[in-house]
Amino acid sequence: MIVETLSLESWRNVAEVEVAFDEGLTLFTGPNAQGKTNLLEAVFLLATGRSHRTARPDELIAFGRQRAYLRARIRRPSGEYQLGARIEGGRVVRQREGKLFRRGQDPLGDFAAVLFAPEDLLAFKGAPADRRRLLDLDVGQDSLAYRQSHQRYGHVLRQRNALLRSYERPPQELLATWNSAWAGAALALTHERERLIERLQPHFAARSAEISGGPPATLTYEPSLKAADPQQALAALAERREEELRRRTSLLGPHRDDLRAEIGDRDLRLYGSQGEQRTVLVAFKLATVSLLAEGAAGPPVLLLDDVLSELDQDRRRNLLLAATGTQTIVTTTESSLAGMQPGRTYAVRRGEYVGTW
Ligand code: ATP
Ligand code: MG
């Protein structure tokens, strides 16, 4: 699947533009703060319904405007279609060929994007939330069931936390209701994550060996909730009851999950060198591309935001080589990057994109 064109209106620092992408590599270059990331963010939002930088859609609307519009022409093996998004009043509404759909309800899930930004590079060193984001934002695009159970769990968790926050001792019945909703939603998401990581693992191992030239790295899911059924989940929850009431928040469940990456039995969260961290992240993103590529739509769009200049020659070459056959959109502040032959190049200045090819 290929994104052929993208038009933006009142999006971040962009008034109104249309850009066309190459089927292979498109490069956006320019100094800082001109609109390079803004463009990748727009492609990512069309794919996922969210921004990778903010949870508040209104920040995406150009200062002083009421709403923003995005429109893309997508080409799949089965034909072309239009994908659009309107951002207004704190909401993102997407549409496909004029038909509206909401996040988690994408009927086909056939436009996917994997975004790789410098802040991802240390995800295996950072907090568990950084690693969950990798799963939720990128890999989760693979499955509608995943997106739905993720949304459902988020909803239940917010309600349950609100309840714990509002009372020193929440009413028994009310808490019991939210506990059982929690058990169902938590088990469902845990199960979806298990499946997803299991499928990602072989791609990850292969990619990491390819990039490092050494032994493959492994990826292991560390679920917060270890339970086979709702009864066991509720029993595990009961054990945390007093602590939850004291701290007035939910302490068990997928919002506390983690992911472990190891090279030769060494946990990278603790022992990874800078280079190993980078290798693992590049492997993770490429594994995500391979996993998504198994879907009906074929390879996703790979969005590389300023990461190539962060990588050494070898990793950069491996990344681009592995991305052959995947439509790739790259941003950089350097005027050209050694070893790259983009099909199209745009110079980015103050929200305008001037193409040369
Ligand atoms: P860098 O190389 O530093 O990453 P960039 O080209 O990727 O730079 P962007 O993140 O795309 O820069 O942002 C470009 C500009 O857009 C910034 O100066 C920012 O202040 C501006 N901007 C962000 N949101 C809005 C908005 N809602 N309305 C107007 N301008 C905005
Ligand atoms: Mg940027």
Side-chain angles (χ1 to χ4, degrees):
M1 162 220 71
I2 301 289
V3 49
E4 295 189 315
T5 60
L6 171 69
S7 25
L8 311 173
E9 197 183 318
S10 307
W11 171 264
R12 296 273 196 193
N13 71 337
V14 180
E16 197 179 345
V17 300
E18 177 169 286
V19 293
F21 301 104
D22 189 72
E23 287 193 11
L25 190 62
T26 307
L27 184 64
F28 288 84
T29 67
N32 296 127
Q34 303 300 313
K36 301 184 299 296
T37 302
N38 292 348
L39 183 112
L40 297 189
E41 188 179 32
V43 177
F44 189 76
L45 182 125
L46 280 169
T48 63
R50 5 186 205 177
S51 154
H52 67 293
R53 292 198 284 194
T54 176
R56 286 184 294 274
D58 283 342
E59 286 175 19
L60 304 168
I61 303 168
F63 300 147
R65 308 309 294 243
Q66 293 300 307
R67 55 194 77 84
Y69 296 99
L70 307 179
R71 213 172 44 246
R73 203 165 68 237
I74 311 290
R75 198 176 76 225
R76 316 184 57 197
S78 56
E80 288 193 4
Y81 69 91
Q82 273 227 355
L83 192 63
R86 192 183 74 227
I87 296 96
E88 186 176 13
R91 298 175 72 85
V92 175
V93 181
R94 280 180 298 163
Q95 57 167 33
R96 188 196 145 106
E97 289 289 310
K99 280 211 191 87
L100 302 185
F101 62 89
R102 295 200 7 213
R103 203 170 87 207
Q105 296 176 342
D106 183 345
L108 296 152
D110 57 6
F111 177 56
V114 173
L115 195 145
F116 192 0
E119 56 265 31
D120 288 326
L121 280 170
L122 289 177
F124 273 93
K125 196 94 195 157
D130 297 336
R131 293 181 284 281
R132 289 194 299 271
R133 261 171 58 90
L134 292 178
L135 279 181
D136 296 340
L137 283 183
D138 286 338
V139 197
Q141 289 173 69
D142 180 61
S143 140
L144 181 59
Y146 186 94
R147 297 197 297 278
Q148 286 174 336
S149 51
H150 183 255
Q151 269 210 315
R152 165 87 187 135
Y153 182 71
H155 172 73
V156 171
L157 184 68
R158 278 191 297 278
Q159 302 288 324
R160 188 170 185 272
N161 279 343
L163 182 68
L164 290 169
R165 242 195 336 271
S166 355
Y167 297 93
E168 205 159 310
R169 294 261 138 192
Q172 265 310 332
E173 246 172 66
L174 207 51
L175 187 58
T177 306
W178 283 109
N179 285 356
S180 59
W182 169 88
L187 277 173
L189 181 54
T190 303
H191 178 67
E192 288 298 333
R193 282 196 174 149
E194 232 163 55
R195 274 174 19 113
L196 209 55
I197 293 161
E198 211 175 276
R199 291 183 45 215
L200 189 64
Q201 163 64 31
H203 296 293
F204 178 74
R207 295 304 202 178
S208 62
E210 229 168 77
I211 294 164
S212 68
T218 60
L219 198 63
T220 313
Y221 181 35
E222 295 184 342
S224 155
L225 174 67
K226 296 173 194 77
D229 56 37
Q231 259 83 34
Q232 284 184 13
L234 287 170
L237 192 63
E239 278 177 28
R240 306 299 291 272
R241 186 187 153 86
E242 287 310 314
E243 201 187 345
E244 285 198 329
L245 292 180
R246 202 170 59 244
R247 293 173 55 181
R248 294 193 161 191
T249 188
S250 302
L251 297 175
L252 194 66
H255 66 295
R256 298 222 153 184
D257 282 352
D258 203 354
L259 259 185
R260 183 171 77 238
E262 286 169 320
I263 301 182
D265 289 339
R266 277 179 306 121
D267 186 339
L268 286 189
R269 289 172 301 191
L270 302 172
Y271 303 111
S273 73
Q274 289 258 11
E276 286 173 328
Q277 302 272 353
R278 279 159 202 258
T279 295
V280 161
L281 243 299
V282 173
F284 190 96
K285 293 288 177 176
L286 288 174
T288 307
V289 170
S290 310
L291 180 75
L292 293 174
E294 288 174 354
V301 180
L302 180 61
L303 309 170
L304 301 177
D305 191 14
D306 235 349
V307 286
L308 292 178
S309 50
E310 298 274 332
L311 301 173
D312 60 31
Q313 284 286 356
D314 274 356
R315 288 195 186 85
R316 184 190 295 180
R317 198 176 42 239
N318 279 326
L319 176 57
L320 289 173
L321 206 65
T324 315
T326 303
Q327 187 183 26
T328 305
I329 306 175
V330 172
T331 72
T332 175
T333 49
E334 294 165 40
S335 57
S336 69
L337 280 169
M340 259 204 326
Q341 286 162 332
R344 285 181 191 224
T345 301
Y346 287 88
V348 185
R349 287 289 140 82
R350 281 190 253 140
E352 308 222 359
Y353 306 84
V354 181
T356 50
W357 54 83

